[in-house]
Amino acid sequence: MPKSKKSANPINLNDPQYYLNRELSWLEFNHRVLHEACDSRTPLLERLKFLAIFSSNLDEFFMVRIAALKQQVEAKVTQLTPDGRTPQQQLDDIRLNLSPQVVKQHQHFEQVLRPLLAKERIHILDYINLNQKQRTYLDNYFEEQIFPVLTPLAVDPSHPFPYISNLSLNLAVVVKNPDTEEEFFARVKVPSVLPRFLPLPPELGIQENGQPANWTGVPLEQAIAHNLNALFPGMNIQEYHPFRITRDADLALEEDEADDLLLAIEQELRKRRIGGSPVRIEIQSQTPEPIRTRLLQDLDLTDSDVYQVDGLLGLRDLMYFMALPLAELKDPPRQSVVPPRLQRLREPHIDEDVLEMEEGKDFFAVIREKDLFVHHPYQSFSATVVRFITHAAHDPNVLAIKMTLYRTSGDSPIVNALIAAAENGKQVSVLVELKARFDEENNIYWARRLERVGVHVVYGLVGLKTHCKTVMVVRREKDRMRRYVHIGTGNYNPKTARLYTDLGLFSCREELGADITDLFNFLTGYSRQKSYRELLVAPVNMRDRFLSLIQREITNVQKGFTGRIVAKMNSLVDPQIIATLYEASRAGVQIDLIIRGICCLRPGLKDISENIRIISIIGRFLEHSRIYYFYNNSQEEIYIGSADWMRRNLDRRVEVITPIKDQDIAKDLQEILGIMLADNRQAWELQADGSYIQRRPEDDCPEANSQISFMNMALRSTGGTPNLLDSQKGLSYTE
């Protein structure tokens, strides 16, 4: 039976000891990313990719989270986080936890991955180890291709310290005048417009058994460093040292004071290109103290902002090597499939501006039969979501298309379909979220392009980000209008849809169509909609609805029934949700959480969270989907959508969660949850102290070894009856 604790003394569930720190939890997540780079089971080039992702994640963490904490310290903010830390305490603890990770990253690259790459005939050489022919080639390449791009900048009383752009790699150079023996300091920027790694021609690369290597080359900054005489003729090069700067890159937008949101964001983007205050400097550990001190003084940084590394800086550039045509060093290619119900559709095509339809069933007829569920990237995004919007754009019976766009690709076929729809005379309305972080410029471009062809473009709501993923198509059918909707968990981006696991629901149910209509009226007009028929919509009713769903499980347990919650999301941060989950655990509700990233809930605490288990899955695909399951005394309810259990999602964003009414789809979603709960290859179990332990196939993991579904596992100890899969059908990851 589940453990239910009723203490004689009331417990304050808001006590800081029951919460993990958000920033430290994120560092744990990124450490799990780093583990993929260190895991020998991961293909070699994929390990480089994860090393690059680790670095890229850290860059954004410093540009946004560290920058915000430093601003709070400067503003003397004293407000504590739910776990009881001040901003300065968080900065101190972040550095304490992060420094060993950075050391581990660079040591692993230099001592493990570089030798392994060499065994696979991928040679990242140091310039000093090149032979004369190789040096001659690179010196000529420098003169022809690199030298014209470089601009050495002197630093002296008449030349102030130059502006160092965000994420730029630079050389701090000391030169001496041979006549006066006077030394001067200069900065040379390593141009980002050139490849970070310079390949040698095959005939000059390392030869093995008469065969050229797969790749031989050197880092760009080393080719520049060994040709500095060309930049400072007549001077003696004394020393040079690479360094890299990270700046505050978050937008400081006062929406309430902006007359034109588009113009305001464009102005902020120009400021971002210039960059905010420096928040981090990366230097090599052998950089002498005078150079280090000079850089810190000129950049107004302190010792706590310095991260010393042994080896190359800016390892996010290792993503370069994923372009090498070496399939044997990458994950096996995965071909997305077309859902069976969509495999024999008739397709619209244009012939001299006249729409003709091939024989067969159209996309809308498939949805009319019953709701359609899609799971990306296993099922093709292009053959489902893009096809749906393209089909609607060319169908003469479609009168209107309404859509939210948070992020999309640079060559988006979805935007092209929307443009075609407008040109075909359809009413097209698109909410383009201009405040999607680091995609603002791309979204401004698409918004303007859509406006030029007559699409009604809305730029989002003041004070709220529109993060929901929704499309509605209005179609005339005989004597009625029918609304077709798609509600997803991920962005309408064909590129990331191949890399992220996400879910989508197509439906033409009346209640759902009416809710989506009300939602778009809320987004584009002055609607003050306070209730929805089926949808959970933030910031309107989602928080209260989730709390009531959790409370219902508590009530059922108190009545002597089974209580069960399974939830999958990216992050769990919201204190109110966490406190309510603690209440559920104390009542005896069995709770399994699959939290990919940040998790501020402490599982396994005596009398608090003994009935809560939490795993994180890090692997080939970014687990991005959100699924929420509630047992509801055997009348199960399951939901999917765009929102995590975070304050920002529940209170400061427009989000949509939809219930799943189709029982077959509900079972598919339960099986997805079951597979993840049984994962013994890439799942990590969160401990009460905030650390994670990775499951392995050889470990004693009954849930995985028995290959049982999550409902079997859920109800085995509560006396319920499994209703999804028998043990022969369940799945788990194995070697």
Side-chain angles (χ1 to χ4, degrees):
M1 293 296 291
K3 299 177 182 178
S4 178
K5 298 291 184 181
K6 296 296 182 182
S7 173
N9 298 317
I11 294 178
N12 177 14
L13 295 179
N14 296 317
D15 193 312
Q17 68 175 311
Y18 301 138
Y19 295 83
L20 297 170
N21 180 262
R22 171 194 170 125
E23 315 304 347
L24 299 181
S25 181
W26 185 91
L27 289 183
E28 282 289 333
F29 156 70
N30 208 33
H31 192 220
R32 297 194 294 279
V33 173
L34 178 59
H35 177 85
E36 291 299 308
C38 300
D39 193 331
S40 60
R41 298 173 295 180
T42 306
L44 183 56
L45 290 183
E46 303 290 342
R47 295 172 71 175
L48 283 189
K49 178 190 76 174
F50 279 109
L51 215 59
I53 293 172
F54 175 86
S55 293
S56 182
N57 286 350
L58 268 187
D59 287 343
E60 185 170 334
F61 181 71
F62 273 89
M63 288 188 288
V64 178
R65 304 301 303 179
I66 295 295
L69 287 172
K70 289 173 75 70
Q71 289 174 1
Q72 291 175 31
V73 171
E74 291 173 6
K76 296 181 169 37
V77 172
T78 58
Q79 183 178 355
L80 301 181
T81 56
D83 62 294
R85 285 178 168 87
T86 66
Q88 185 59 56
Q89 287 173 329
Q90 291 182 82
L91 286 173
D92 294 341
D93 290 341
I94 287 168
R95 180 170 180 85
L96 186 65
N97 283 267
L98 178 57
S99 294
Q101 292 185 26
V102 173
V103 171
K104 177 180 178 180
Q105 175 200 20
H106 286 271
Q107 284 183 346
H108 189 74
F109 173 67
E110 296 293 340
Q111 299 174 14
V112 179
L113 293 186
R114 259 179 118 163
L116 287 176
L117 289 168
K119 288 183 179 180
E120 296 294 342
R121 300 190 298 136
I122 301 171
H123 302 280
I124 307 174
L125 302 178
D126 291 320
Y127 193 94
I128 57 173
N129 294 327
L130 298 178
N131 61 39
Q132 189 56 53
K133 287 184 178 180
Q134 293 168 334
R135 290 192 180 199
T136 300
Y137 170 83
L138 285 176
D139 290 348
N140 291 334
Y141 182 89
F142 171 86
E143 184 176 347
E144 296 174 4
Q145 303 291 332
I146 303 175
F147 178 75
V149 183
L150 300 179
T151 304
L153 296 175
V155 181
D156 57 34
S158 62
H159 298 87
F161 190 82
Y163 176 81
I164 310 294
S165 55
N166 187 32
L167 302 183
S168 64
L169 183 61
N170 306 268
L171 296 178
V173 183
V174 177
V175 299
K176 178 186 287 188
N177 185 326
D179 297 328
T180 65
E181 295 295 311
E182 186 177 4
E183 289 188 345
F184 299 95
F185 181 86
R187 171 257 190 167
V188 177
K189 180 179 179 179
V190 178
S192 59
V193 294
L194 298 176
R196 172 69 190 282
F197 298 97
L198 302 179
L200 290 165
E203 63 274 15
L204 292 180
I206 294 177
Q207 304 290 315
E208 298 178 18
N209 299 322
Q211 296 294 320
N214 288 317
W215 190 91
T216 305
V218 300
L220 172 61
E221 65 272 21
Q222 292 190 15
I224 295 172
H226 285 82
N227 283 277
L228 287 173
N229 285 322
L231 294 171
F232 302 96
M235 305 292 281
N236 293 334
I237 308 300
Q238 299 298 104
E239 55 186 324
Y240 63 86
H241 302 281
F243 68 96
R244 187 172 183 266
I245 295 297
T246 311
R247 291 181 177 273
D248 179 354
D250 208 11
L251 296 186
L253 189 66
E254 298 294 338
E255 293 183 61
D256 294 334
E257 301 176 8
D259 295 326
D260 186 325
L261 184 60
L262 180 64
L263 179 61
I265 290 179
E266 285 185 314
Q267 291 172 342
E268 286 299 317
L269 287 174
R270 283 193 285 271
K271 294 179 184 177
R272 176 190 281 171
R273 281 191 284 270
I274 297 173
S277 302
V279 294
R280 174 181 63 164
I281 181 170
E282 298 166 272
I283 61 176
Q284 291 184 330
S285 55
Q286 62 267 35
T287 303
E289 189 59 35
I291 298 294
R292 171 191 168 114
T293 300
R294 171 117 198 209
L295 290 172
L296 293 183
Q297 289 175 346
D298 288 331
L299 291 166
D300 194 23
L301 292 170
T302 67
D303 286 336
S304 63
D305 302 315
V306 179
Y307 284 81
Q308 296 187 154
V309 302
D310 291 315
L312 298 178
L313 303 180
L315 294 186
R316 65 185 292 164
D317 295 326
L318 291 174
M319 195 66 78
Y320 165 93
F321 292 97
M322 284 299 292
L324 294 178
L326 300 171
E328 67 277 13
L329 300 181
K330 304 177 186 178
D331 285 325
R334 177 181 291 277
Q335 184 66 41
S336 297
V337 300
V338 179
R341 291 174 58 197
L342 298 179
Q343 288 179 1
R344 300 190 64 181
L345 290 188
R346 67 185 187 192
E347 298 291 352
H349 66 275
I350 299 175
D351 182 16
E352 297 180 353
D353 298 327
V354 177
L355 183 75
E356 297 180 358
M357 304 296 290
E358 299 173 0
E359 293 300 319
K361 187 185 299 181
D362 66 30
F363 206 121
F364 303 107
V366 171
I367 301 174
R368 285 196 300 273
E369 290 176 345
K370 61 180 297 189
D371 289 357
L372 175 66
F373 169 68
V374 289
H375 189 188
H376 312 301
Y378 311 105
Q379 292 174 317
S380 169
F381 184 84
S382 296
T384 55
V385 177
V386 175
R387 193 180 197 177
F388 172 67
I389 299 170
T390 303
H391 205 117
H394 296 290
D395 186 326
N397 294 316
V398 169
L399 304 182
I401 302 173
K402 299 184 179 183
M403 184 175 190
T404 60
L405 273 180
Y406 189 73
R407 302 184 197 274
T408 190
S409 58
D411 54 349
S412 175
I414 288 176
V415 174
N416 292 332
L418 295 172
I419 291 171
E423 292 173 341
N424 288 335
K426 304 183 190 308
Q427 182 90 359
V428 182
S429 302
V430 181
L431 189 144
V432 179
E433 181 47 76
L434 299 184
K435 303 184 292 292
R437 182 177 288 141
F438 301 122
D439 263 348
E440 301 96 341
E441 198 161 3
N442 189 49
N443 287 1
I444 288 173
Y445 167 78
W446 286 121
R448 287 201 160 132
R449 186 173 171 193
L450 288 166
E451 281 185 321
R452 284 198 296 268
V453 297
V455 172
H456 299 298
V457 178
V458 180
Y459 295 133
L461 302 178
V462 172
L464 298 173
K465 279 187 180 181
T466 303
H467 188 249
C468 55
K469 328 295 183 182
T470 56
V471 179
M472 182 174 73
V473 172
V474 181
R475 191 172 188 262
R476 182 192 291 115
E477 296 175 356
K478 295 182 180 179
D479 59 346
R480 63 170 293 182
M481 295 289 187
R482 194 188 300 270
R483 290 169 289 203
Y484 296 84
V485 303
H486 172 268
I487 300 173
T489 68
N491 297 310
Y492 291 113
N493 187 328
K495 291 184 177 178
T496 57
R498 294 193 292 268
L499 304 173
Y500 298 0
T501 56
D502 271 306
L503 310 171
L505 176 74
F506 293 95
S507 179
C508 62
R509 287 189 288 111
E510 283 295 325
E511 296 83 357
L512 215 50
D515 272 355
I516 293 293
T517 299
D518 289 341
L519 173 70
F520 276 104
N521 290 339
F522 168 66
L523 293 174
T524 63
Y526 290 108
S527 166
R528 295 177 59 83
Q529 189 80 17
K530 294 298 183 183
S531 63
Y532 290 86
R533 300 156 188 83
E534 292 190 356
L535 293 180
L536 283 62
V537 177
V540 181
N541 68 344
M542 186 178 292
R543 174 184 288 279
D544 290 342
R545 184 67 178 135
F546 271 132
L547 291 172
S548 68
L549 290 170
I550 299 170
Q551 186 61 50
R552 186 179 63 190
E553 298 300 315
I554 297 174
T555 301
N556 284 335
V557 169
Q558 290 170 342
K559 292 179 179 180
F561 302 124
T562 292
R564 176 71 170 142
I565 298 170
V566 181
K568 176 187 181 297
M569 68 200 83
N570 296 330
S571 297
L572 171 56
V573 175
D574 186 78
Q576 187 179 16
I577 294 283
I578 292 174
T580 308
L581 290 172
Y582 284 151
E583 290 177 8
S585 173
R586 297 187 73 220
V589 178
Q590 293 295 301
I591 303 170
D592 276 288
L593 303 175
I594 305 165
I595 314 294
R596 184 198 74 206
I598 303 168
C599 182
C600 296
L601 185 153
R602 290 184 183 268
L605 294 175
K606 182 176 175 56
D607 296 337
I608 301 293
S609 55
E610 289 172 292
N611 293 317
I612 301 177
R613 297 156 297 278
I614 301 174
I615 64 169
S616 170
I617 295 177
I618 303 292
R620 175 175 181 176
F621 299 118
L622 183 72
E623 290 293 339
H624 191 252
S625 57
R626 291 92 167 179
I627 309 172
Y628 300 94
Y629 167 90
F630 301 90
Y631 182 59
N632 189 27
N633 195 24
S634 80
Q635 302 299 309
E636 300 145 304
E637 292 184 9
I638 195 161
Y639 300 78
I640 65 169
S642 59
D644 296 320
W645 282 344
M646 302 179 71
R647 279 176 171 167
R648 71 182 189 190
N649 297 90
L650 300 174
D651 300 333
R652 301 195 300 274
R653 290 185 173 185
V654 179
E655 304 275 13
V656 167
I657 297 285
T658 182
I660 300 299
K661 298 294 187 178
D662 185 282
Q663 290 304 304
D664 290 333
I665 296 175
K667 289 180 180 179
D668 286 342
L669 288 166
Q670 290 175 24
E671 183 161 356
I672 289 171
L673 292 174
I675 290 172
M676 292 186 170
L677 290 177
D679 188 314
N680 61 356
R681 166 60 177 86
Q682 292 175 309
W684 296 72
E685 296 181 357
L686 176 58
Q687 309 301 300
D689 64 358
S691 63
Y692 286 77
I693 297 176
Q694 188 181 37
R695 290 179 181 170
R696 291 186 173 270
E698 61 270 19
D699 293 341
D700 182 19
C701 181
E703 292 84 355
N705 296 337
S706 300
Q707 296 191 0
I708 57 179
S709 71
F710 97 90
M711 286 307 301
N712 296 49
M713 182 168 30
L715 302 177
R716 150 180 80 182
S717 61
T718 59
T721 302
N723 66 344
L724 172 61
L725 298 171
D726 57 36
S727 60
Q728 282 71 42
K729 289 185 179 179
L731 300 172
S732 72
Y733 290 108
T734 57
E735 282 290 271

